[in-house]
């Protein structure tokens, strides 16, 4: 009940942002045609009113304190569609979670995406993370056990992809020639920028994909132990090894002692050293030491990233910065909310609340509907809208629940 939840808070802006966000999310909820008892959040309207793996998982994770049913339905809908075989055209590999499901093939220029498309590097570890978090939230054990075969398949894909890589990192590349060139959440062709503004070549090893994989492996280890199940490998040790590789190779050292995490490593093993919001996704995953997490938080609070209405996708100091660039300077609500929750998990409550206040300001400037994204620069007190954004959009709407988590009542 959106009204009942919204009325829990005394802050008038948060109350209306919650009311609008939760109402929007309810209207974006769809039933799985393979089992209508299960629900998930469609990514957004008008462009993406369908099942997107990453979007649905993040919406469910953000909403988990308020709606375990959404999490269970999302887990089941995606488990039914885990890939069973390798197919270059669809980017399918056994155990891999889908990127999107459509009724027809999507074509736009050189892009051709089949009805079921699996070109995502992060949906699979995120699915595992959601299963662990939903189990921790107290759903019936039987519901978790029903998903154990899917869990083992998803872990098999994740670990297989890492083990097969020369550098032991989770990478992506579009082998079909007509799929997404970037397969993380920043999936536009020009999103991976070096500090000099140039575009990094694929295959890419995204920072956040490694962080999700570490979190997924540790969560799976805890889940197997909690259920008295025998895993097929030591997932805690696997996570420790991946974490060590990431922490050794992703830290960028600059003049005057500046230190931050690269967005990725490129095809040549070089750091994609543009300062971006990606590092916020590593917070709260267990990838970083407390001291390293503090370094990330402090870097994200600097004004070249933390803007008036949220965290920018790319530093305003980067030569490629464009305040209305899709992933090159715009502010995305869910991206900001993820970093905000990570700050909370790392014990940086004041920082998390500072970021939350930027999202509240965006809500107040946007008619209380948190937009999918907006421009990285404000015009007076107004947010600059992104013309082609979804309205509403699921993970932006669900970010209202994250504000409630951080700010309380």
């Amino acid at each position: 009940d959106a009204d009942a939840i919204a009325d829990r808070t005394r802050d008038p802006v948060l109350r209306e942002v919650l009311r609008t966000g939760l109402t929007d999310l309810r209207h974006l909820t769809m039933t799985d045609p393979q089992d209508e008892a299960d629900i998930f959040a469609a990514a957004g309207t008008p462009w993406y009113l369908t099942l997107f793996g990453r979007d649905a998982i993040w919406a469910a994770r953000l909403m988990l304190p308020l709606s375990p049913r959404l999490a269970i339905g999302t887990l089941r809908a995606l488990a039914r569609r885990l890939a069973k075989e390798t197919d270059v055209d669809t980017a399918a590999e056994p155990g891999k979670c889908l990127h999107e499901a459509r009724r027809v093939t999507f074509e736009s220029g050189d892009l051709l995406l089949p009805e079921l498309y699996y070109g995502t590097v992060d949906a699979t570890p995120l699915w595992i993370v959601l299963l662990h978090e939903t189990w921790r939230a107290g759903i019936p054990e039987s519901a978790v056990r029903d998903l154990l075969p899917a869990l083992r398949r998803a872990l098999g894909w994740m670990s297989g992809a890492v083990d097969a890589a020369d550098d032991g990192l989770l990478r992506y590349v579009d082998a079909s020639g007509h799929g997404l060139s970037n397969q993380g959440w920043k999936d536009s062709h020009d999103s991976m920028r070096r500090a000099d503004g140039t575009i990094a070549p694929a295959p890419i090893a995204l920072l956040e994909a490694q962080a999700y994989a570490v979190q997924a492996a540790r969560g799976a280890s805890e889940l197997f132990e909690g259920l008295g199940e025998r895993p097929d490998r030591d997932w805690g040790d696997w996570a420790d090894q991946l974490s060590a590789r990431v922490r050794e190779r992703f830290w960028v050292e600059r003049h005057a002692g500046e230190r931050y995490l690269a967005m990725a490593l490129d095809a040549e093993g070089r750091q994609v050293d543009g300062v971006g919001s990606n590092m916020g996704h590593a917070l709260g995953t267990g990838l970083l030491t407390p001291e390293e997490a503090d370094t990330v938080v402090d870097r994200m609070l600097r004004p070249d990233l933390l803007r008036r209405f949220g965290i920018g996708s790319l530093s305003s100091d980067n030569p490629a910065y464009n305040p209305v660039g899709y992933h090159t300077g715009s502010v995305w609500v869910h991206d900001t909310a993820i970093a905000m929750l990570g700050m909370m998990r790392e014990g940086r409550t004041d920082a998390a609340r500072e970021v939350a206040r930027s999202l509240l300001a965006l809500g107040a400037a946007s008619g209380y509907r948190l937009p999918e994204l907006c421009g990285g620069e404000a015009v007076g007190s107004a947010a600059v809208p992104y013309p082609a954004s979804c309205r509403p959009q699921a993970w932006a709407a669900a970010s209202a629940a994250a504000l409630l988590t951080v700010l309380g009542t």
Side-chain angles (χ1 to χ4, degrees), residues 256-312:
E258 182 181 15
R259 191 167 186 253
Y260 61 93
L261 285 166
M263 291 194 285
L265 301 184
D266 68 13
E268 301 159 358
R270 294 174 55 191
Q271 293 174 333
V272 184
D273 57 356
V275 176
S277 60
N278 305 59
M279 68 182 88
H281 291 234
L283 296 171
T285 63
L287 176 70
L288 306 174
T289 68
E291 294 77 15
E292 289 170 337
D294 282 341
T295 298
V296 169
V297 173
D298 292 341
R299 183 63 188 85
M300 298 199 75
L301 295 180
R302 287 172 50 175
D304 64 312
L305 272 185
L306 180 56
R307 322 299 297 179
R308 178 169 185 169
F309 293 128
I311 295 170

Side-chain angles (χ1 to χ4, degrees), residues 161-162 165 167-171 205 210 242 245-246 249-250 265:
V162 170
D167 55 5
L169 297 173
L170 185 58
R171 289 183 173 270
Q210 318 311 313
L242 177 56
R245 290 192 289 273
V246 174
R249 301 189 60 187
F250 278 73
L265 301 184

Side-chain angles (χ1 to χ4, degrees), residues 10 19 23 34 43 45 83 87 104 133 137 165 171 174 195 224 229 244 247 253 279 290 294 319 332 334 351 381 401:
R10 295 183 295 274
R19 196 185 317 277
T23 300
Q34 296 186 25
T45 187
D87 185 321
V104 296
E133 290 177 340
R171 289 183 173 270
D174 171 37
F224 283 131
E229 292 284 331
R247 292 168 56 240
E253 308 285 347
M279 68 182 88
D294 282 341
W332 287 69
H334 84 284
S381 60

Side-chain angles (χ1 to χ4, degrees), residues 136-155:
R136 289 289 303 272
I139 68 166
E141 183 176 309
S142 59
V144 179
R145 288 192 177 278
D146 287 344
L147 290 167
L148 288 182
L151 171 62
R152 294 183 187 277
R153 292 169 58 202
L155 285 166

Side-chain angles (χ1 to χ4, degrees), residues 24 52 117 150 163 195 199 206 218 291 311 356 364 386:
D24 283 346
F52 273 67
Y117 179 61
D163 295 346
I199 300 174
L206 286 171
R218 291 195 175 129
E291 294 77 15
I311 295 170
Y386 190 86

Side-chain angles (χ1 to χ4, degrees), residues 37-58:
D38 292 327
I39 61 171
F40 60 85
T45 187
W47 315 115
Y48 305 114
L49 195 62
T50 185
L51 176 61
F52 273 67
R54 180 191 308 115
D55 298 56
I57 292 166
W58 268 118

Side-chain angles (χ1 to χ4, degrees), residues 13 36 81 127 194 221 288 290 323 374:
V13 176
E36 294 187 358
R81 295 166 175 83
W127 184 92
R194 300 190 180 103
S221 178
L288 306 174
C374 67

Side-chain angles (χ1 to χ4, degrees), residues 119 172 180-184 186-192 200 202 204:
Y172 64 80
L180 293 171
S181 56
N182 281 316
Q183 297 185 0
K186 293 181 179 178
D187 57 5
S188 54
H189 74 281
D190 61 349
S191 62
M192 292 293 103
I204 297 286

